[in-house]
Amino acid sequence: MKLFNIPENSKIIVKGNIETPPASIPIQKEDILQFYHIDGMYSYCKNTDGEVVHLAAWADVDVIKEDEK
């Protein structure tokens, strides 16, 4: 599913189409992120270390449901 179709404040796992702005912390396939919102072409997320990362809005991701955490 594309990130722009995911509800805000969801926990996600990255599946593909990984693009970030030049100065952003790198994101890898299968990384788990807390997605907060879309901000233009990119998103505002935090990785498992609590660092802010910016994944492209069109990235392929899956939602992690509460019972899968």
Side-chain angles (χ1 to χ4, degrees):
M1 179 179 283
K2 299 294 183 189
L3 182 58
F4 56 75
N5 290 324
I6 301 294
E8 292 185 351
N9 300 310
S10 295
K11 187 166 264 195
I12 59 170
I13 186 163
V14 180
K15 294 297 185 180
N17 277 341
I18 301 166
E19 291 189 42
T20 61
S24 181
I25 295 170
I27 299 170
Q28 306 298 320
K29 190 173 183 179
E30 302 298 319
D31 278 358
I32 295 174
L33 305 174
Q34 180 67 42
F35 164 64
Y36 292 99
H37 60 86
I38 299 292
D39 186 13
M41 290 177 48
Y42 297 97
S43 62
Y44 182 90
C45 301
K46 288 189 179 178
N47 62 19
T48 54
D49 294 328
E51 300 168 309
V52 174
V53 295
H54 303 288
L55 183 61
W58 58 89
D60 295 316
V61 300
D62 286 332
V63 174
I64 299 174
K65 301 207 183 332
E66 286 295 319
D67 57 343
E68 295 176 10
K69 291 181 185 176

